[in-house]
Amino acid sequence: MLFFAKLPPMIASKLIAFIIAPQSSLKKAWISALADKFGGLEHEGEFFPFCKTDYYKAEMGENLHRGVVSFEGLIEAENIGLHKNKAIELENILLNETGGRILNIDIGYMDSDKIVLPSTKRGPFKLYAGSGIWLDMILTYAKGDFKPTDWAFADFKENPYKRDLLLIREKYKRALHGKT
């Protein structure tokens, strides 16, 4: 007798992106480019100084800020790798006069209990998802709050994005239940 595992239902998730950009960057241009690539912008969060690392300074310059945005509708979590590749394409289109990126797009998804960011870089806490994509769970949600994982970057540990993430989560829950 053969037994087959029942396949789980598709996991409907909210597409989000943490954006790093210089404060002086032409925000309207890249906000419009994000919407063209990923669909209508549903929420644009507050942008905070990104000063915990100089990793992007040589390429993107000084006075960097990071904030979170979300997009209308829901996606299937299993397709996050396709969205990561679209984010890389967009970063490579939006370049400054020296050929560096004008923004870093950390695309990811939110579901009921976590935020996951795909990466093309391997890491000790990242899970391989195939096609050169690794998944990094950076925040978990429980008891009304987002909590950083032990390996999350410093700004996620401080989590200035918490208010925006809670607002996005409410929009996600409404979308799950078919309410606008």
Side-chain angles (χ1 to χ4, degrees):
M1 181 178 272
L2 292 174
F3 293 96
F4 294 95
K6 184 177 177 184
L7 294 175
M10 300 298 170
I11 305 299
S13 303
K14 176 60 70 181
L15 185 64
I16 64 171
F18 290 93
I19 307 295
I20 300 173
Q23 188 175 24
S24 61
S25 177
L26 297 173
K27 194 174 192 181
K28 276 191 176 182
W30 59 258
I31 287 288
S32 175
L34 282 172
D36 289 346
K37 192 64 107 171
F38 299 107
L41 217 61
E42 179 181 66
H43 181 88
E44 181 184 339
E46 185 176 348
F47 277 67
F48 300 91
F50 183 75
C51 52
K52 297 296 180 190
T53 177
D54 289 336
Y55 183 82
Y56 298 99
K57 183 178 177 182
E59 180 182 15
M60 298 175 69
E62 306 257 355
N63 204 15
L64 298 177
H65 285 68
R66 179 166 13 203
V68 63
V69 299
S70 69
F71 302 92
E72 294 173 350
L74 298 174
I75 65 160
E76 294 174 0
E78 66 191 40
N79 292 330
I80 195 62
L82 300 172
H83 295 288
K84 176 63 177 175
N85 288 328
K86 286 166 55 173
I88 292 168
E89 289 171 15
L90 185 56
E91 287 177 346
N92 290 329
I93 291 169
L94 299 173
L95 301 176
N96 62 30
E97 59 279 351
T98 63
R101 294 178 294 171
I102 64 165
L103 73 157
N104 179 76
I105 307 167
D106 287 322
I107 200 83
Y109 70 82
M110 172 190 289
D111 66 20
S112 296
D113 50 16
K114 65 189 159 299
I115 292 177
V116 175
L117 300 181
S119 176
T120 57
K121 298 177 201 97
R122 177 188 176 119
F125 298 106
K126 296 177 183 177
L127 301 174
Y128 190 61
S131 301
I133 300 294
W134 299 85
L135 301 178
D136 190 1
M137 182 176 61
I138 58 158
L139 296 165
T140 60
Y141 180 85
K143 299 180 181 177
D145 197 11
F146 283 97
K147 306 223 181 335
T149 57
D150 288 342
W151 55 89
F153 292 117
D155 63 320
F156 290 118
K157 287 186 178 183
E158 291 177 4
N159 200 6
Y161 323 107
K162 183 166 133 178
R163 178 183 173 280
D164 290 309
L165 292 172
L166 290 171
L167 291 170
I168 292 168
R169 189 171 188 279
E170 286 304 311
K171 293 174 184 183
Y172 165 68
K173 287 182 355 186
R174 284 195 303 270
L176 272 179
H177 296 94
K179 301 173 186 170
T180 55

